[in-house]
Amino acid sequence: MLKELKRKIIHLIGLLIPICYYFFREDDKFIAVIILFALTAIYFSIELLRLTNKKAQKYFLTHFSSFLRTHEKQHITGTAYYLLSAFLSVLFFEKELAIACLSYLVL
């Protein structure tokens, strides 16, 4: 039960992306896209390292295994998909729709 509670807290932290994006001006969409692209690229790089390097995998599992589901220990985590979705939503959709989509994904 504690493990699921930790995961739910992480999901709620995911609301920071649509909340922060809400406060961006329409003219600053490009900045939001660049920030999300950078976060997504960094996260996917970490995932690639974790999945291909035994030392990195051991470190990651030692410190973060309580947040992972069983299948995520050997595969890409849900966070990677969420960040990719956030990037693509902000890139292709109007602000209100992107915020609604990302908020729905978190819940």
Side-chain angles (χ1 to χ4, degrees):
M1 184 166 144
L2 183 59
K3 186 174 182 176
E4 276 303 310
L5 182 60
K6 287 180 183 179
R7 289 184 54 76
K8 293 300 177 193
I9 291 170
I10 295 296
H11 282 223
L12 290 176
I13 291 171
L15 280 173
L16 287 176
I17 291 175
I19 289 170
C20 289
Y21 186 46
Y22 174 81
F23 292 105
F24 274 67
R25 295 182 323 205
E26 286 295 327
D27 298 341
D28 294 336
K29 178 178 180 170
F30 181 74
I31 295 169
V33 168
I34 295 298
I35 291 169
L36 286 169
F37 176 79
L39 286 173
T40 304
I42 290 167
Y43 194 84
F44 269 94
S45 298
I46 292 169
E47 284 285 275
L48 182 63
L49 180 66
R50 177 182 70 88
L51 294 171
T52 59
N53 183 295
K54 293 290 184 191
K55 284 185 180 183
Q57 188 175 43
K58 182 179 178 183
Y59 177 83
F60 192 88
L61 289 176
T62 301
H63 292 89
F64 301 107
S65 66
S66 64
F67 295 104
L68 300 175
R69 295 201 187 272
T70 305
H71 66 276
E72 290 178 325
K73 292 180 180 179
Q74 299 298 323
H75 300 284
I76 294 175
T77 63
T79 302
Y81 295 114
Y82 177 72
L83 285 173
L84 182 60
S85 298
F87 166 67
L88 293 173
S89 294
V90 171
L91 180 64
F92 291 119
F93 299 133
E94 291 182 20
K95 184 177 182 177
E96 292 79 14
L97 182 57
I99 290 170
C101 291
L102 294 173
S103 299
Y104 180 78
L105 280 175
V106 169
L107 304 175

